[in-house]
Each structure stands twice: as structure tokens, then as C-alpha cells.
Amino acid sequence: MPMAFSPGLLVVAGSFAAFRLLNRGLERLVPPPPSARRNRWKWRNIWTSLAHSVLSGGGALAGFYLHPEMSKDLVGTHPPGAHSLVAVSVGYFLEDFVDMLCNQKLHQSWELLFHHSVVIICFGIAVLLHQYVGFALVALLVEINSIFLHLRQILLMANLVDTACYRLNSLVNLGTYVVFRIATLAWMTRWLFLNRQNVPPATYAVGTVGMAIMTPMNIVLFYRLLRSDFFKSRRDVRREKEE
């Protein structure tokens, strides 16, 4: 089937439109508190990102639970639902890329824009080739931690830093960061290294570059979280909320 007529591209387009509509309607569904009204677009953006994280992270876990055979062959074995989930994620990352580009200054968003570019390229290869979908699904396990990262931002914007809910979320966020983000990326890097003979050079190069970019970015973010939630002053927390 020619790439131009890949059903996966239709799913990507539909996902982009759906997340765009969700973003536009979220302010009515979840009105921003007074402390977040100065940054309404960010409030909508975080809730949209949270919706994607719940869908993709939960979907990735369910995929490996319902289809354990996929974990033995991350290249060619995958159910149709797994391919659709990766395509939906490409649509989301495209929507979020456009949303940040239109609403945030480049010096504030360049790291996330760069991150999204790498993910779109890597996931796009899986969607177009119908290969490495299992590997992309492993990457989506990272979104389980993203649920708590987004909740943290919501609590910050809602001025709920000094609450038990924020402190509990901080602990869960840190734990899931280690398990579902750092450990997952380390496992993916190891898998690429061990399977380099079975992966085409171009795909291996894209995957290696992607891991080389993602790993230091996530280590830096982990340091920032530690410093912000456990070693930072209240003034610094307030400054982070306003960014």
C-alpha cells in the first residue's frame, strides 16, 4: 500500500483535529481558577496534555498486558489498536507543537518543540512503515509519568503548592519518573544496542539520535524536579508557576 494512502495518516489527521477541538473546549469543561486566568492558553494546553497522557500511557500498558507476544517482537508484531494508538500520539504531538508555536515565546518552549520534533519523526516512521510499533509503545509508557507531571503543573497554576495533594503527587511523580521515564529510556537504549544487527542503518541512526537527545533532557528535567519540589524556596516555586 502506498505511503500516501496509509490509513495511519488519516488517524493522525483525525487525532490532530480531535485534540485541537478538545483544547478549544476545555476552558468550558474545566474553568481556570483565578490564579490561572492570566495564562489561559497554558491551562488548556496542560489539560489537553493530561488527556493524551492518560489515553496513551494507559493504552500502552493495556497493549502489553493484552498482547504479551508484542514484547518478544518489538519490530513486526503488533495488533491494529497499537498502531492506531501510536498514530493518535503523532496527531497529539503535532497539535501540541502548533499550540506552543502559536502561544508561547520560542525561548520558553524550544526544548519541548525539539522533543516533539524527535518524537514525531520516530513515531511517524513506525506509523508509515507498520514496523517498530511495539518499540513506540514502549516509549509511550513514559506517558504514565507524564500524568503526574501534568497534574503537578495544574496544582501549581491553581495555587495548591502547600497542600497534601501536591506533596503526594510530588512523591508519586518522582517514583514514576524513575520507573517509567529513566528506566524505560535506558531499556530502549539497551534494546537498540543489542538489536543493531537486525535494524536497518537509517532506522538505527534515527533511534540512536533520538535516545541520545531524550536521555540527557530527561536527566536534566529530573534534576529540576528534585530541586523544585524538595530543595527550592517558595519564591522559586511561584516563579515557576508564572512561566
Side-chain angles (χ1 to χ4, degrees), residues 26 45 48 111 133-135 150 164 186 192 195 199 218:
L26 264 170
N45 178 275
T48 305
E111 288 180 85
V133 172
F135 190 73
H150 299 319
L192 267 178
N195 291 273
V199 178
N218 279 281

Side-chain angles (χ1 to χ4, degrees), residues 78-90:
H78 64 268
H83 181 266
S84 296
L85 184 63
V86 176
V88 165
S89 288
V90 174

Side-chain angles (χ1 to χ4, degrees), residues 119-213:
V119 173
I120 290 165
I121 292 169
C122 293
F123 281 19
I125 290 172
V127 170
L128 289 173
L129 299 182
H130 285 260
Q131 289 187 308
Y132 309 101
V133 172
F135 190 73
L137 219 64
V138 173
L140 283 177
L141 291 174
V142 168
E143 292 299 322
I144 293 170
N145 167 249
S146 294
I147 294 171
F148 302 100
L149 275 175
H150 299 319
L151 282 174
R152 176 184 178 275
Q153 286 185 295
I154 289 168
L155 291 169
L156 272 172
M157 292 193 72
N159 229 2
L160 296 172
V161 178
D162 298 319
T163 62
C165 186
Y166 184 88
R167 289 191 291 273
L168 176 61
N169 185 75
S170 294
L171 291 171
V172 176
N173 183 31
L174 214 61
T176 55
Y177 199 104
V178 173
V179 174
F180 289 105
R181 193 171 288 267
I182 293 177
T184 296
L185 289 172
W187 188 92
M188 291 170 68
T189 303
R190 178 179 177 274
W191 185 91
L192 267 178
F193 178 77
L194 294 177
N195 291 273
R196 62 191 183 281
Q197 305 290 344
N198 305 317
V199 178
T203 306
Y204 180 75
V206 171
T208 302
V209 170
M211 291 299 102
I213 292 168

